Amino acid sequence: MVQGFDAAMRLMRSRDPQRQEDGFAQLRAHAADYIAALIEQFENEQQDQGLRRWLLELIAEAESSAALPVLAAQLDNADESLRESAIAGLTRLATPEARSTLWRARANGTIA
């Protein structure tokens, strides 16, 4: 499974937009299986903001409770697309903890 993840990440880091899309699609189909690796990549990626956005989108789509801390931490990010992915992921997760996190963020004005 790791080989597939590593190959898809290489594609996502390619300069070729089609290869990037191909890597994203490969990971999207197995986001829940790769949640720990996706979180690690997201936390370690500091250079490529577009890649960070895609990684957070994949983390959100995994619908895994392991994603809750990462998604919650992005609710006050200055990057609107990261905030939106975090909101979507927490909404999709739909656990009591995710709903409480969204409620608190709305109550304190972090998100609308």
Side-chain angles (χ1 to χ4, degrees), residues 3-105:
Q3 269 185 341
F5 179 83
D6 291 341
M9 284 303 303
R10 278 193 298 281
L11 289 173
M12 285 183 68
R13 292 180 189 283
S14 169
R15 292 181 187 216
D16 178 344
Q18 184 58 56
R19 290 173 57 89
Q20 292 173 343
E21 291 283 346
D22 292 345
F24 180 81
Q26 288 176 21
L27 289 176
R28 179 182 242 170
H30 303 284
D33 297 330
Y34 296 134
I35 188 65
L38 288 166
I39 290 170
E40 181 180 348
Q41 288 291 317
F42 177 78
E43 291 174 346
N44 291 331
E45 181 58 53
Q46 301 301 318
Q47 302 295 324
D48 187 338
Q49 289 303 308
L51 182 57
R52 279 179 57 83
R53 290 180 190 113
W54 267 4
L55 289 167
L56 191 62
E57 185 177 337
L58 291 167
I59 291 166
E61 289 187 15
E63 296 183 24
S64 170
S65 59
L68 183 71
V70 174
L71 296 171
Q74 298 308 308
L75 290 176
D76 65 351
N77 194 304
D79 184 323
E80 184 178 352
S81 64
L82 290 176
R83 281 194 318 273
E84 289 174 359
S85 287
I87 292 167
L90 289 166
T91 302
R92 215 178 281 126
L93 191 53
T95 63
E97 296 85 3
R99 287 190 296 272
S100 293
T101 299
L102 286 169
W103 182 86
R104 280 192 305 278

